[in-house]
Coordinates of all heavy atoms in Angstrom, one line a residue:
Chain B
L831 N 97.7 -26.8 -72.1 CA 98.5 -25.8 -72.8 C 98.0 -25.8 -74.3 O 97.8 -24.7 -74.8 CB 100.0 -26.2 -72.8 CG 100.6 -26.4 -71.4 CD1 102.1 -26.8 -71.5 CD2 100.4 -25.2 -70.6
S832 N 97.8 -27.0 -74.9 CA 97.3 -27.1 -76.2 C 97.1 -28.5 -76.5 O 97.3 -29.4 -75.7 CB 98.3 -26.5 -77.3 OG 99.5 -27.3 -77.2
G833 N 96.5 -28.8 -77.7 CA 96.3 -30.2 -78.1 C 95.1 -30.8 -77.5 O 94.0 -30.1 -77.5
S834 N 95.1 -32.1 -77.1 CA 93.9 -32.8 -76.6 C 93.2 -32.0 -75.5 O 93.9 -31.5 -74.6 CB 94.3 -34.1 -76.1 OG 93.2 -34.8 -75.5
T835 N 91.9 -31.9 -75.7 CA 91.1 -31.1 -74.7 C 90.9 -31.8 -73.4 O 90.5 -31.2 -72.4 CB 89.8 -30.7 -75.3 OG1 89.1 -31.9 -75.6 CG2 90.0 -29.8 -76.5
L836 N 91.2 -33.1 -73.3 CA 91.1 -33.9 -72.1 C 92.5 -34.0 -71.5 O 93.3 -34.6 -72.1 CB 90.4 -35.2 -72.3 CG 90.2 -36.1 -71.1 CD1 89.2 -35.4 -70.2 CD2 89.7 -37.5 -71.5
V837 N 92.6 -33.5 -70.3 CA 93.9 -33.5 -69.7 C 93.9 -34.3 -68.4 O 93.0 -34.2 -67.6 CB 94.3 -32.0 -69.3 CG1 95.7 -32.0 -68.6 CG2 94.3 -31.1 -70.5
K838 N 94.8 -35.2 -68.3 CA 94.9 -36.0 -67.1 C 96.0 -35.5 -66.2 O 97.1 -35.1 -66.6 CB 95.2 -37.5 -67.5 CG 94.1 -38.1 -68.3 CD 94.2 -39.6 -68.4 CE 93.1 -40.2 -69.3 NZ 91.8 -40.0 -68.6
G839 N 95.7 -35.5 -64.9 CA 96.6 -35.0 -63.9 C 97.0 -36.1 -62.9 O 96.8 -37.2 -63.1
I840 N 97.5 -35.6 -61.7 CA 97.9 -36.5 -60.7 C 96.7 -36.9 -59.8 O 95.6 -36.3 -59.9 CB 99.0 -35.8 -59.8 CG1 98.4 -34.6 -59.1 CG2 100.2 -35.5 -60.5 CD1 99.3 -34.0 -58.0
N841 N 96.9 -38.0 -59.1 CA 95.8 -38.5 -58.2 C 94.5 -38.8 -58.8 O 93.5 -38.7 -58.2 CB 95.6 -37.4 -57.0 CG 96.9 -37.1 -56.3 OD1 97.8 -37.9 -56.2 ND2 96.9 -36.0 -55.6
G842 N 94.5 -39.2 -60.1 CA 93.3 -39.6 -60.8 C 92.4 -38.5 -61.3 O 91.3 -38.8 -61.7
F843 N 92.8 -37.3 -61.2 CA 92.0 -36.1 -61.6 C 92.2 -35.9 -63.1 O 93.3 -36.2 -63.7 CB 92.3 -34.9 -60.9 CG 91.8 -34.8 -59.5 CD1 92.5 -35.3 -58.4 CD2 90.5 -34.3 -59.3 CE1 92.0 -35.2 -57.1 CE2 90.0 -34.2 -58.0 CZ 90.7 -34.7 -56.9
E844 N 91.2 -35.4 -63.8 CA 91.2 -35.0 -65.2 C 90.4 -33.8 -65.4 O 89.5 -33.5 -64.5 CB 90.8 -36.1 -66.1 CG 89.3 -36.6 -65.9 CD 89.0 -37.7 -66.9 OE1 89.8 -38.5 -67.2 OE2 87.8 -37.7 -67.3
A845 N 90.6 -33.1 -66.4 CA 89.9 -31.9 -66.7 C 89.7 -31.8 -68.2 O 90.5 -32.2 -69.0 CB 90.6 -30.6 -66.2
E846 N 88.6 -31.2 -68.6 CA 88.3 -31.0 -70.0 C 88.2 -29.5 -70.4 O 87.4 -28.8 -69.8 CB 87.0 -31.7 -70.4 CG 86.7 -31.7 -71.9 CD 86.0 -32.9 -72.4 OE1 85.3 -33.5 -71.6 OE2 86.1 -33.2 -73.6
F847 N 88.9 -29.1 -71.4 CA 88.9 -27.8 -71.9 C 87.8 -27.7 -72.9 O 87.8 -28.4 -73.9 CB 90.2 -27.4 -72.5 CG 90.2 -26.1 -73.3 CD1 89.8 -24.9 -72.7 CD2 90.7 -26.1 -74.6 CE1 89.9 -23.7 -73.4 CE2 90.7 -24.9 -75.3 CZ 90.3 -23.7 -74.7
N848 N 86.9 -26.7 -72.7 CA 85.8 -26.5 -73.7 C 85.9 -25.0 -74.1 O 85.5 -24.1 -73.4 CB 84.5 -26.8 -73.1 CG 83.3 -26.7 -74.1 OD1 83.3 -25.8 -74.9 ND2 82.4 -27.7 -74.0
K849 N 86.4 -24.8 -75.3 CA 86.7 -23.4 -75.7 C 85.4 -22.7 -76.0 O 85.2 -21.5 -75.6 CB 87.5 -23.4 -77.0 CG 88.0 -22.1 -77.4 CD 88.9 -22.1 -78.6 CE 89.4 -20.7 -79.0 NZ 90.4 -20.8 -80.1
S850 N 84.4 -23.3 -76.5 CA 83.1 -22.6 -76.8 C 82.4 -22.2 -75.6 O 81.7 -21.2 -75.5 CB 82.2 -23.5 -77.7 OG 81.9 -24.7 -77.0
Q851 N 82.5 -23.0 -74.5 CA 81.9 -22.7 -73.2 C 82.8 -22.0 -72.3 O 82.5 -21.7 -71.1 CB 81.3 -23.9 -72.6 CG 80.2 -24.5 -73.4 CD 79.5 -25.7 -72.7 OE1 79.7 -25.9 -71.6 NE2 78.7 -26.4 -73.5
T852 N 84.0 -21.8 -72.7 CA 85.1 -21.2 -71.9 C 85.1 -21.8 -70.5 O 85.1 -21.1 -69.5 CB 85.0 -19.7 -71.8 OG1 83.8 -19.3 -71.2 CG2 85.1 -19.0 -73.1
S853 N 85.2 -23.1 -70.5 CA 85.1 -23.9 -69.2 C 86.3 -24.8 -69.1 O 86.9 -25.2 -70.1 CB 83.8 -24.7 -69.1 OG 83.8 -25.7 -70.0
F854 N 86.7 -25.2 -67.9 CA 87.8 -26.1 -67.7 C 87.4 -26.9 -66.4 O 88.0 -26.7 -65.3 CB 89.1 -25.4 -67.5 CG 90.3 -26.2 -67.5 CD1 90.5 -27.2 -68.5 CD2 91.3 -26.1 -66.6 CE1 91.7 -28.0 -68.5 CE2 92.4 -26.8 -66.5 CZ 92.6 -27.8 -67.5
H855 N 86.4 -27.7 -66.4 CA 85.9 -28.4 -65.2 C 86.8 -29.6 -64.9 O 87.3 -30.3 -65.7 CB 84.5 -28.9 -65.5 CG 83.5 -27.9 -65.8 ND1 83.7 -26.5 -65.4 CD2 82.4 -27.9 -66.5 CE1 82.6 -25.8 -65.8 NE2 81.8 -26.6 -66.5
L856 N 87.0 -29.8 -63.6 CA 87.8 -30.8 -63.0 C 86.9 -32.0 -62.6 O 85.9 -31.7 -61.9 CB 88.6 -30.2 -61.8 CG 89.6 -31.2 -61.1 CD1 90.8 -31.5 -62.0 CD2 90.0 -30.6 -59.8
R857 N 87.4 -33.2 -62.8 CA 86.6 -34.3 -62.5 C 87.4 -35.5 -61.9 O 88.6 -35.6 -62.2 CB 85.9 -34.9 -63.7 CG 85.0 -33.9 -64.5 CD 84.2 -34.6 -65.6 NE 83.4 -33.7 -66.3 CZ 83.8 -33.1 -67.5 NH1 84.9 -33.5 -68.0 NH2 83.0 -32.3 -68.1
K858 N 86.8 -36.3 -61.1 CA 87.4 -37.5 -60.6 C 86.3 -38.5 -60.4 O 85.2 -38.2 -59.8 CB 88.1 -37.3 -59.3 CG 88.9 -38.5 -58.8 CD 89.8 -38.2 -57.7 CE 90.6 -39.5 -57.3 NZ 91.6 -39.3 -56.2
P859 N 86.4 -39.7 -61.0 CA 85.3 -40.7 -61.0 C 85.0 -41.3 -59.6 O 83.9 -41.7 -59.4 CB 85.8 -41.8 -61.9 CG 87.3 -41.6 -62.0 CD 87.6 -40.2 -61.8
S860 N 86.0 -41.3 -58.7 CA 85.8 -41.8 -57.4 C 86.7 -41.2 -56.4 O 88.0 -41.4 -56.5 CB 86.0 -43.4 -57.4 OG 85.9 -43.9 -56.2
V861 N 86.2 -40.4 -55.5 CA 87.1 -39.6 -54.6 C 87.4 -40.4 -53.3 O 86.7 -41.3 -52.9 CB 86.4 -38.3 -54.2 CG1 86.3 -37.4 -55.4 CG2 85.1 -38.5 -53.5
H862 N 88.5 -40.0 -52.7 CA 88.9 -40.6 -51.4 C 88.9 -39.5 -50.4 O 88.9 -38.3 -50.7 CB 90.3 -41.2 -51.6 CG 90.5 -42.2 -52.7 ND1 89.9 -43.4 -52.6 CD2 91.1 -42.1 -53.9 CE1 90.2 -44.1 -53.7 NE2 90.9 -43.3 -54.5
I863 N 88.9 -40.0 -49.1 CA 89.0 -39.0 -48.0 C 90.2 -38.1 -48.2 O 90.1 -36.9 -47.9 CB 89.1 -39.8 -46.7 CG1 87.9 -40.7 -46.4 CG2 89.3 -38.8 -45.5 CD1 86.7 -40.0 -46.0
S864 N 91.3 -38.6 -48.7 CA 92.5 -37.8 -48.8 C 92.4 -36.7 -49.9 O 93.3 -35.9 -50.0 CB 93.7 -38.8 -49.2 OG 93.4 -39.5 -50.3
D865 N 91.3 -36.7 -50.6 CA 91.1 -35.7 -51.6 C 90.6 -34.4 -51.0 O 90.4 -33.4 -51.7 CB 90.2 -36.2 -52.8 CG 90.9 -37.2 -53.6 OD1 92.1 -37.1 -53.9 OD2 90.1 -38.2 -54.0
T866 N 90.2 -34.5 -49.8 CA 89.7 -33.3 -49.1 C 90.8 -32.2 -49.1 O 91.9 -32.4 -48.6 CB 89.3 -33.6 -47.6 OG1 88.2 -34.6 -47.6 CG2 88.9 -32.4 -46.9
A867 N 90.4 -31.1 -49.7 CA 91.4 -30.0 -49.9 C 90.6 -28.8 -50.6 O 89.5 -28.9 -50.9 CB 92.5 -30.5 -50.8
E868 N 91.4 -27.8 -50.8 CA 90.8 -26.6 -51.6 C 91.5 -26.7 -53.0 O 92.7 -26.9 -53.1 CB 91.1 -25.3 -50.9 CG 90.4 -24.2 -51.5 CD 90.3 -22.9 -50.6 OE1 91.1 -22.8 -49.7 OE2 89.4 -22.1 -50.9
Y869 N 90.6 -26.5 -54.0 CA 91.1 -26.6 -55.4 C 90.9 -25.2 -56.0 O 89.9 -24.6 -55.9 CB 90.2 -27.6 -56.1 CG 90.5 -29.0 -55.6 CD1 90.0 -29.5 -54.4 CD2 91.4 -29.9 -56.3 CE1 90.2 -30.8 -53.9 CE2 91.6 -31.2 -55.8 CZ 91.1 -31.6 -54.6 OH 91.4 -32.9 -54.1
F870 N 91.9 -24.9 -56.8 CA 92.0 -23.6 -57.4 C 92.1 -23.7 -58.9 O 93.0 -24.4 -59.4 CB 93.1 -22.7 -56.9 CG 93.0 -22.3 -55.5 CD1 93.6 -23.1 -54.5 CD2 92.3 -21.2 -55.1 CE1 93.5 -22.8 -53.2 CE2 92.3 -20.9 -53.7 CZ 92.9 -21.7 -52.8
C871 N 91.3 -23.1 -59.7 CA 91.4 -23.0 -61.1 C 92.2 -21.7 -61.4 O 92.0 -20.7 -60.7 CB 90.0 -23.0 -61.8 SG 90.0 -22.9 -63.5
A872 N 93.0 -21.7 -62.4 CA 93.8 -20.5 -62.7 C 94.1 -20.5 -64.2 O 94.1 -21.5 -64.9 CB 95.1 -20.5 -62.0
V873 N 94.3 -19.3 -64.7 CA 94.7 -19.1 -66.1 C 95.9 -18.2 -66.2 O 96.2 -17.5 -65.2 CB 93.6 -18.4 -66.9 CG1 92.3 -19.3 -66.9 CG2 93.3 -17.0 -66.5
S874 N 96.6 -18.3 -67.3 CA 97.7 -17.3 -67.5 C 97.7 -17.0 -69.0 O 97.4 -17.9 -69.8 CB 99.1 -17.8 -67.1 OG 99.6 -18.8 -67.9
A875 N 98.2 -15.8 -69.3 CA 98.4 -15.5 -70.8 C 99.5 -16.4 -71.3 O 100.3 -17.0 -70.5 CB 98.7 -14.0 -70.9
L876 N 99.7 -16.4 -72.6 CA 100.6 -17.3 -73.2 C 102.1 -16.8 -73.1 O 103.0 -17.6 -73.4 CB 100.3 -17.5 -74.7 CG 98.9 -18.1 -75.0 CD1 98.7 -18.4 -76.4 CD2 98.6 -19.2 -74.1
K877 N 102.3 -15.6 -72.7 CA 103.7 -15.1 -72.7 C 104.4 -15.8 -71.5 O 103.9 -15.9 -70.4 CB 103.6 -13.6 -72.4 CG 105.0 -12.9 -72.3 CD 104.9 -11.5 -72.0 CE 106.2 -10.8 -71.7 NZ 106.1 -9.4 -71.3
A878 N 105.6 -16.2 -71.8 CA 106.4 -16.9 -70.8 C 106.6 -16.1 -69.5 O 106.8 -14.9 -69.5 CB 107.8 -17.3 -71.3
G879 N 106.4 -16.7 -68.4 CA 106.6 -16.1 -67.1 C 105.4 -15.3 -66.6 O 105.5 -14.7 -65.5
T880 N 104.3 -15.2 -67.3 CA 103.2 -14.4 -66.9 C 102.6 -15.0 -65.6 O 102.6 -16.2 -65.4 CB 102.1 -14.4 -68.0 OG1 102.7 -14.0 -69.2 CG2 101.0 -13.5 -67.7
A881 N 102.1 -14.0 -64.8 CA 101.5 -14.4 -63.5 C 100.2 -15.2 -63.7 O 99.5 -15.1 -64.8 CB 101.3 -13.2 -62.7
L882 N 99.8 -16.0 -62.7 CA 98.6 -16.7 -62.7 C 97.4 -15.8 -62.2 O 97.6 -15.0 -61.3 CB 98.7 -17.9 -61.8 CG 99.7 -19.0 -62.3 CD1 100.0 -20.0 -61.2 CD2 99.2 -19.7 -63.5
I883 N 96.2 -16.1 -62.8 CA 95.0 -15.4 -62.3 C 94.1 -16.5 -61.8 O 93.8 -17.5 -62.5 CB 94.3 -14.6 -63.4 CG1 95.3 -13.5 -63.9 CG2 93.0 -14.1 -62.9 CD1 94.8 -12.8 -65.1
F884 N 93.8 -16.4 -60.5 CA 93.1 -17.5 -59.8 C 91.6 -17.2 -59.7 O 91.1 -16.1 -59.6 CB 93.7 -17.7 -58.4 CG 95.0 -18.3 -58.4 CD1 96.1 -17.6 -58.5 CD2 95.1 -19.7 -58.3 CE1 97.4 -18.2 -58.4 CE2 96.4 -20.3 -58.3 CZ 97.5 -19.6 -58.3
G885 N 90.8 -18.3 -59.6 CA 89.5 -18.2 -59.1 C 89.5 -18.2 -57.5 O 90.6 -18.3 -56.9
K886 N 88.3 -18.1 -56.9 CA 88.2 -18.0 -55.5 C 88.4 -19.3 -54.8 O 88.5 -19.3 -53.5 CB 86.9 -17.4 -55.1 CG 86.7 -16.0 -55.4 CD 85.4 -15.4 -54.8 CE 85.4 -13.9 -55.1 NZ 84.2 -13.3 -54.5
G887 N 88.5 -20.4 -55.5 CA 88.7 -21.7 -54.8 C 87.4 -22.5 -54.5 O 86.4 -21.9 -54.3

Side-chain angles (χ1 to χ4, degrees):
Chain B
L831 307 182
S832 64
S834 173
T835 57
L836 183 63
V837 180
K838 293 190 184 297
I840 62 172
N841 301 340
F843 283 92
E844 63 181 31
E846 184 151 23
F847 170 56
N848 187 318
K849 189 173 182 179
S850 62
Q851 297 187 10
T852 61
S853 68
F854 191 53
H855 301 334
L856 181 70
R857 302 187 184 99
K858 186 169 183 178
S860 176
V861 295
H862 303 291
I863 299 284
S864 59
D865 292 322
T866 295
E868 191 161 19
Y869 293 78
F870 296 92
C871 182
V873 302
S874 76
L876 302 189
K877 180 183 174 185
T880 305
L882 294 166
I883 296 168
F884 287 90
K886 288 187 176 183

